[in-house]
């Protein structure tokens, strides 16, 4: 497990399983270290992942990071954001674009 602390005024602690991180990089071309940047987007959208929340509450974060809108799958554990999936998916971009326009 990797723990990473952002050095922002409101410090956020991230963690992930390094094996899952390597698998995610091979499958989706995105590291979990890159994925944490989606949380810094002031227009990010966070909502519950109701299809995969059987044993614990799981969420999606849609936010600008790197090459575009990134979808990050995560949960909260002991005051920490635990990332377990991330990538650039067209469905996430569509939801982000529609949600962002509805805010203005």
């Amino acid at each position: 497990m990797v723990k990473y602390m952002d050095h922002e005024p409101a410090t956020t602690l991230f963690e992930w399983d390094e094996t899952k991180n390597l698998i995610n990089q091979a499958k989706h071309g995105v590291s979990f270290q890159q994925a944490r940047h989606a949380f810094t987007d002031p227009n990010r959208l966070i909502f519950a992942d109701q299809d995969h929340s059987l044993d614990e509450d799981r969420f999606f974060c849609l936010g600008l990071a790197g090459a575009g809108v990134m979808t990050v799958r995560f949960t909260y554990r002991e005051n920490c954001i635990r990332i377990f999936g991330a990538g650039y998916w067209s469905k996430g971009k569509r939801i982000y674009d529609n949600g962002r326009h509805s805010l203005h």
Side-chain angles (χ1 to χ4, degrees):
M1 174 176 42
V2 173
K3 289 201 178 219
Y4 182 88
M5 185 178 299
D6 271 345
H7 297 288
E8 302 284 326
T11 299
T12 303
L13 187 65
F14 293 88
E15 70 177 18
W16 54 79
D17 178 279
E18 189 57 26
T19 300
K20 285 187 180 182
N21 180 34
L22 295 172
I23 292 168
N24 195 83
Q25 287 178 58
K27 190 173 180 180
H28 302 294
V30 174
S31 74
F32 292 166
Q33 187 161 359
Q34 293 169 304
R36 65 188 171 77
H37 293 289
F39 291 87
T40 65
D41 177 359
N43 295 313
R44 71 188 172 277
L45 300 174
I46 294 179
F47 55 94
D49 177 358
Q50 298 182 0
D51 293 335
H52 301 100
S53 296
L54 301 176
D55 297 330
E56 66 184 349
D57 292 334
R58 293 185 170 199
F59 302 90
F60 292 103
C61 174
L62 308 177
L64 291 176
V69 176
M70 188 179 295
T71 301
V72 182
R73 296 180 62 216
F74 72 99
T75 191
Y76 294 104
R77 288 192 189 160
E78 300 175 15
N79 297 319
C80 190
I81 295 174
R82 182 171 180 84
I83 298 173
F84 52 85
Y88 295 103
W89 296 303
S90 58
K91 182 177 181 181
K93 182 177 181 340
R94 257 190 330 273
I95 294 168
Y96 178 88
D97 288 342
N98 289 336
R100 189 175 48 136
H101 292 302
S102 68
L103 296 175
H104 299 289

